[in-house]
Amino acid sequence: MLTNWKKYSTFIDHVNILTKLLLGIMLFFYAIFIHQFDFMIYLTIIMFIYLIVMSGVRWLPLLIVIAITMFFGITSSLFMIFYGEGEHTLLKFGIIHITNESLLRGLHVTMRTLVISFYGMVIPFTSQIIFVFYSFMQHLKLKPKIAYAFMASIRMIPIMFSSFMQLRQALKMRYAVIDKSNRKGLKWINHLLIPTLSQSIRKSHRLAVAMEAKGFTNQKRTYYYKVPFTINDLYFVLLTILLVVIAYLLSIYIPITNIADIR
């Protein structure tokens, strides 16, 4: 599905998934210790631009994902905004007490969430799921039997969904000649759920037998795809550092709020 969303590719599409994940984790812990409000504002803006430019995704799905991310980012800080502590009251209504300090802290938490989300969303948009497991096998020594099992299970998802839709269409035709008492309430769910689960179990068993027959074991094996570390990984590391440095310099030379410490 993510492949259908792509409009163009960038060099990040050729970066090893381990490099992306490692930098994402490092940025997560780094963002926790950022207490300068202006620094976080600029970093959020820069990561937003980075997502739009480097993801290569079409506008409509990208805007939907951004809207969902911003919604959860804002809701994650509402508790701190509504029930925070502070001296300068902005709004007080019952148990809700919004102060200037709580509002700024809540916005700071929201921007932390958005920074990690914007940076992290580029990873699935620029990575193929099959290369994720190949990279884990080749560099993290993940057992091939486990990796191939995960890849096979992921491939089974669209097959299960297709079977579900076919069964749903078939039930619509059958219900035309079946009494309503036999298709109300939980009976309708059982007519869909039980056949879908039984078909999935049968297909999973066939797949397991086929993998076993093909020799999918934990022994040493060759790989059709090689997922090495390349010069693109270095470019990606330098780009991430550059984005953070630019945000920091902008917060120093072009401050917006001049809030040095938001804690």
Side-chain angles (χ1 to χ4, degrees):
M1 182 177 66
L2 296 181
T3 305
N4 297 331
W5 289 359
K6 294 286 288 185
K7 186 177 181 181
Y8 59 89
S9 300
T10 64
F11 78 95
I12 300 181
D13 291 71
H14 307 288
V15 175
N16 195 297
I17 183 63
L18 292 180
T19 305
K20 300 176 187 177
L21 292 177
L22 180 61
L23 287 179
I25 295 172
M26 293 175 64
L27 181 63
F28 169 77
F29 286 104
Y30 180 71
I32 293 176
F33 297 99
I34 297 178
H35 304 296
Q36 294 86 359
F37 197 74
D38 291 339
F39 185 14
M40 190 57 68
I41 291 176
Y42 280 116
L43 191 59
T44 304
I45 296 173
I46 288 176
M47 288 302 171
F48 178 74
I49 299 173
Y50 162 78
L51 170 63
I52 293 177
V53 175
M54 292 298 178
S55 64
V57 180
R58 299 181 184 276
W59 280 108
L60 181 59
L62 183 61
L63 291 177
I64 294 175
V65 172
I66 291 175
I68 296 174
T69 303
M70 295 185 69
F71 172 77
F72 284 106
I74 294 173
T75 54
S76 65
S77 62
L78 289 180
F79 183 82
M80 181 175 292
I81 294 175
F82 287 162
Y83 310 107
E85 297 180 352
E87 298 179 356
H88 303 87
T89 300
L90 298 178
L91 175 65
K92 189 172 184 180
F93 182 76
I95 61 174
I96 298 177
H97 184 204
I98 302 177
T99 64
N100 184 57
E101 292 81 2
S102 66
L103 178 61
L104 291 176
R105 293 191 190 103
L107 292 176
H108 191 73
V109 171
T110 298
M111 287 188 291
R112 279 179 177 172
T113 305
L114 293 179
V115 165
I116 303 303
S117 300
F118 291 156
Y119 186 84
M121 279 193 293
V122 177
I123 297 177
F125 287 151
T126 58
S127 304
Q128 296 186 35
I129 188 65
I130 187 173
F131 292 149
V132 174
F133 293 103
Y134 269 104
S135 182
F136 284 0
M137 283 189 291
Q138 296 172 18
H139 302 294
L140 297 184
K141 305 305 178 183
L142 179 66
K143 293 182 178 181
K145 198 171 185 178
I146 297 176
Y148 281 109
F150 272 105
M151 283 191 282
S153 62
I154 291 173
R155 296 295 185 185
M156 287 289 292
I157 294 176
I159 298 176
M160 293 171 57
F161 182 76
S162 176
S163 299
F164 175 80
M165 296 304 297
Q166 290 178 3
L167 178 61
R168 188 167 176 267
Q169 296 296 329
L171 285 176
K172 286 183 179 181
M173 298 179 63
R174 294 172 186 172
Y175 283 165
V177 294
I178 295 177
D179 188 76
K180 290 184 178 180
S181 60
N182 295 322
R183 52 189 173 93
K184 284 185 178 180
L186 294 177
K187 293 182 179 180
W188 177 77
I189 298 177
N190 291 334
H191 294 164
L192 278 174
L193 185 62
I194 295 176
T196 302
L197 288 177
S198 61
Q199 289 179 16
S200 301
I201 293 172
R202 287 197 299 268
K203 291 177 181 178
S204 299
H205 177 68
R206 293 172 185 171
L207 181 61
V209 173
M211 291 178 65
E212 202 69 38
K214 289 291 185 179
F216 285 89
T217 63
N218 292 325
Q219 299 177 358
K220 187 177 180 180
R221 61 184 300 118
T222 57
Y223 301 103
Y224 184 78
Y225 294 106
K226 291 291 184 179
V227 191
F229 293 100
T230 62
I231 191 65
N232 291 316
D233 294 77
L234 178 60
Y235 293 154
F236 183 67
V237 174
L238 295 177
L239 175 62
T240 302
I241 296 174
L242 180 63
L243 295 177
V244 176
V245 171
I246 291 175
Y248 179 73
L249 293 177
L250 288 174
S251 66
I252 293 177
Y253 294 105
I254 313 177
I256 299 176
T257 63
N258 289 312
I259 301 176
D261 197 334
I262 199 64
R263 288 176 292 183

